[in-house]
Amino acid sequence: MAGGAVEEIVRRAGGCAVIDGGFATQLEALGADINDPLWSAACLITKPHLIKEVHMQYLEAGADVIISSSYQATIPGFLARGLRLEEAEGLLRTSVELALQARDEFWKSTLRKSKPVYNRALVAASIGSYGAYLADGSEYSGSYGEDITTEKLKDFHRRRLQVLGSAGPDLIAFEAIPNIMEAQALVELLEEENIQVPSWICFSSVDGKHLCSGESFADCLRILNTSDKVAIVGVNCTPPQFIEGIIRELKKQTKKAIAVYPNSGEVWDGRAKRWLPAECFGHKSFDVLVKRWQEAGASLIGGCCRTTPSTIRAVSRILKGRTAYTASHQI
Ligand SMILES: C[S+](C)CC[C@H](N)C(=O)O
Ligand SMILES: N[C@@H](CCS)C(=O)O
Ligand SMILES: [Zn+2]
């Protein structure tokens, strides 16, 4: 399968590729209002130019992989907003196109520079969990209620996966998956739809030892290991202090490449819709932890919510051993 692009970017990055940082976080920093059922995906309707700007800022910071704005972009979510089906599907494609445009424009501009220090980045199409769509806090508990089945989850994810998969991304990034039932649904769906774009499936954890649901990584990895369509596994939107232990656990359970992109350590209050202060150290700790994550076995490292381009600039500098990138490139 087409996992070659991932191996290539990891190799070109010097053994560990850099993923971008908090996408929604940086949209907010640029003035977007994402207090919305669609969360960061609301900007696909209201402020698409900001989406491209955020991608550009992460590319400048040194990201080898940028993640599209589709985390909470769902067809039912857009329909509930009064959009027609064609418009909803069009916005999903737009999310990938904006990232591809940013990647191509940025790459062209760096080729003109005498001393290129960047790689041609890959674009990962983001797919958030069913719980992210529900926006009721269940993306961090994995509790979807008794009526939810693997088949229902497959039906929820099917059309978005088809549309995003055919929009030209280099990867599909399933982000912050909270339970095994959803992982099982995704593995089956990738097979049923015969998706040719390599995928990563990343989980979130609130205790550093289990998925958010309380289920074990070992049980979960047994399912993911059966799929050739899943090129990368990992963890995202999880406090930095838990990451090293999770990498070591994943390493025991799989031969697949491992991606980690923790949040700042702040905790999302799904009901109040706000971030609560970090219980331990925050994104500044990435400076000391990144090398340890690489040594523990991660081959893609970045940041998730509440991390910023400056976090990613530091990650890139540490992993690639290059002088800090200057943010001189204008869009
Ligand atoms: C990763 S959480 C901060 C995403 C936002 C959540 N699904 C919500 O809509 O409230
Ligand atoms: N990539 C997502 C967050 C995943 S938790 C976004 O920022 O839109
Ligand atoms: Zn996040």
Side-chain angles (χ1 to χ4, degrees), residues 275-314:
W275 291 97
L276 304 173
E279 283 161 14
C280 203
F281 30 66
H283 69 124
K284 294 205 171 67
S285 62
F286 280 43
D287 286 15
V288 283
L289 295 175
V290 160
K291 269 281 163 201
R292 296 173 64 131
W293 297 338
Q294 181 181 21
E295 280 157 19
S299 44
L300 298 107
I301 297 177
C304 204
C305 296
R306 311 289 281 175
T307 68
T308 67
S310 80
T311 321
I312 296 312
R313 195 166 285 115

Side-chain angles (χ1 to χ4, degrees), residues 151 154 158 185 187-195 229:
E151 287 308 312
K154 275 155 65 173
R158 191 178 308 272
V187 163
E188 289 179 23
L189 202 53
L190 288 168
E191 228 25 81
E192 284 172 24
E193 299 300 324
N194 194 19
I195 300 296
K229 311 261 183 214

Side-chain angles (χ1 to χ4, degrees), residues 39 71-72 132 135 139-140 237 268 273 275 305:
W39 197 51
Y71 176 77
Q72 210 152 308
E139 71 197 304
Y140 290 112
C237 220
W268 179 247
K273 305 269 176 221
W275 291 97
C305 296

